[in-house]
């Protein structure tokens, strides 16, 4: 099984020794996205709503670079600094899935890179048949 790195300039560049995503066979493993503006590399202004929208946009761009979309995701993990933000994040996240949302875990963490309030990673598959 060959591995293929997936990268796009429409999502933030990796801020460490990792790839935006790696394809392994029919699976695509997406690294966690935080709410960085891909053009400036800076955290987006605003609270949890603005940050969640940026994270979902970043994930969408990495999926697109892999030739996929949100419907291809089969598992995600949401990392929140404050579980009190769950309802807001859930509303924005849920709007990205028209039919079958992926399996998911949501956890509260002590801190995220660059002071982010939310981070989301995922696993996608080329076919959900």
């Amino acid at each position: 099984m060959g591995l293929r790195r997936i990268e796009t300039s429409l999502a933030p560049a990796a801020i460490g020794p990792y790839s935006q995503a790696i394809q392994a066979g029919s699976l695509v493993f997406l690294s966690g996205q935080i709410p960085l503006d891909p053009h400036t590399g800076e955290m987006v202004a605003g609270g949890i709503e603005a940050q969640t929208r940026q994270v979902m946009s970043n994930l969408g761009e990495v999926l697109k670079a892999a030739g996929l979309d949100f419907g291809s995701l089969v598992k995600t993990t949401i990392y929140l600094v404050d579980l009190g933000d769950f309802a807001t994040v859930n509303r924005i996240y849920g709007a990205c899935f028209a039919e079958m949302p992926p399996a998911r875990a949501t956890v509260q963490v002590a801190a995220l890179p660059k002071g982010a309030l939310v981070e989301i990673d995922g696993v996608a598959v080329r076919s959900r048949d």
Side-chain angles (χ1 to χ4, degrees):
M1 160 177 50
L3 300 178
R4 178 172 74 97
R5 177 182 287 177
I6 296 162
E7 294 182 87
T8 177
S9 62
L10 300 175
I15 56 175
Y18 62 91
S19 300
Q20 290 173 329
I22 294 287
Q23 180 178 335
S26 64
L27 297 176
V28 177
F29 297 85
L30 291 88
S31 291
Q33 288 290 324
I34 61 173
L36 296 178
D37 180 308
H39 306 294
T40 66
E42 299 297 321
M43 193 73 61
V44 296
I48 190 64
E49 187 165 337
Q51 287 197 13
T52 304
R53 289 186 192 289
Q54 186 64 54
V55 166
M56 296 307 291
S57 174
N58 293 345
L59 283 172
E61 292 297 342
V62 175
L63 284 164
K64 193 183 306 180
L68 302 171
D69 59 26
F70 285 111
S72 303
L73 283 168
V74 294
K75 172 70 170 83
T76 61
T77 304
I78 299 175
Y79 306 90
L80 293 173
V81 172
D82 182 355
L83 275 176
D85 291 331
F86 180 81
T88 300
V89 172
N90 202 46
R91 176 177 46 81
I92 296 164
Y93 171 94
C96 294
F97 302 99
E99 294 181 21
M100 187 181 343
R104 179 182 86 187
T106 303
V107 296
Q108 181 169 316
V109 296
L112 290 168
K114 296 193 171 242
L117 301 175
V118 59
E119 179 174 358
I120 303 175
D121 66 18
V123 178
V125 67
R126 291 224 163 267
S127 173
R128 286 181 100 167
D129 299 354

